[in-house]
Amino acid sequence: MAVRAVRGAVQLERDDAGHMHEQVSALMTGVLERNGLTTDDLISVWFTATPDLHSDFPAAGARKLGIADVPLICAQELDVAGAMPRVVRVLAHVETELPKSRINHVYLGAAAALRKDIAQ
């Protein structure tokens, strides 16, 4: 079993805790489903949020999804002029048999523009 990293992001329509939980849930569900993973395959998950998001921690949305016994951490993205607003990013470390070339990185909605080279 190998340790792999899976990236992803989603742009929120507004800074609202309920909306954030919904979008983070969709993002994490996409990461798991598109890579044939379960929550037992998660080792740890890093979330970042752009500085314009204040309503809640992205990890709270993952906890509501049922990701309970996995270390989660949140950090703030760099405040870069011209960067896409209201974005939550994820870097999940997982155990999987998939080779690096078969990992599906998940960029939802407008966030797909952030990494056109790897967005699925």
Side-chain angles (χ1 to χ4, degrees):
M1 189 75 60
V3 174
R4 301 284 185 228
V6 185
R7 292 283 319 268
V10 64
Q11 183 182 38
L12 278 59
E13 294 175 14
R14 60 192 175 283
D15 184 20
D16 171 80
H19 179 61
M20 180 183 289
H21 297 168
E22 180 181 283
Q23 294 302 304
V24 168
S25 178
L27 179 60
M28 290 305 298
T29 297
V31 164
L32 295 172
E33 288 179 355
R34 293 183 192 181
N35 289 287
L37 302 169
T38 69
T39 57
D40 286 340
D41 299 318
L42 294 171
I43 297 169
S44 64
V45 182
W46 281 81
F47 292 99
T48 63
T50 51
D52 52 1
L53 294 175
H54 307 278
S55 61
D56 204 354
F57 298 99
R63 294 281 184 229
K64 286 184 180 275
L65 184 61
I67 300 173
D69 62 350
V70 177
L72 307 177
I73 192 164
C74 299
Q76 188 176 73
E77 277 291 327
L78 296 174
D79 191 9
V80 176
M84 185 179 286
R86 300 176 317 280
V87 174
V88 173
R89 291 174 173 85
V90 65
L91 174 63
H93 301 98
V94 302
E95 289 182 315
T96 180
E97 296 292 342
L98 291 174
K100 288 181 187 177
S101 62
R102 301 236 357 254
I103 295 293
N104 292 300
H105 304 283
V106 180
Y107 289 79
L108 301 177
L114 295 171
R115 289 298 306 263
K116 293 178 184 173
D117 58 325
I118 63 173
Q120 301 296 314

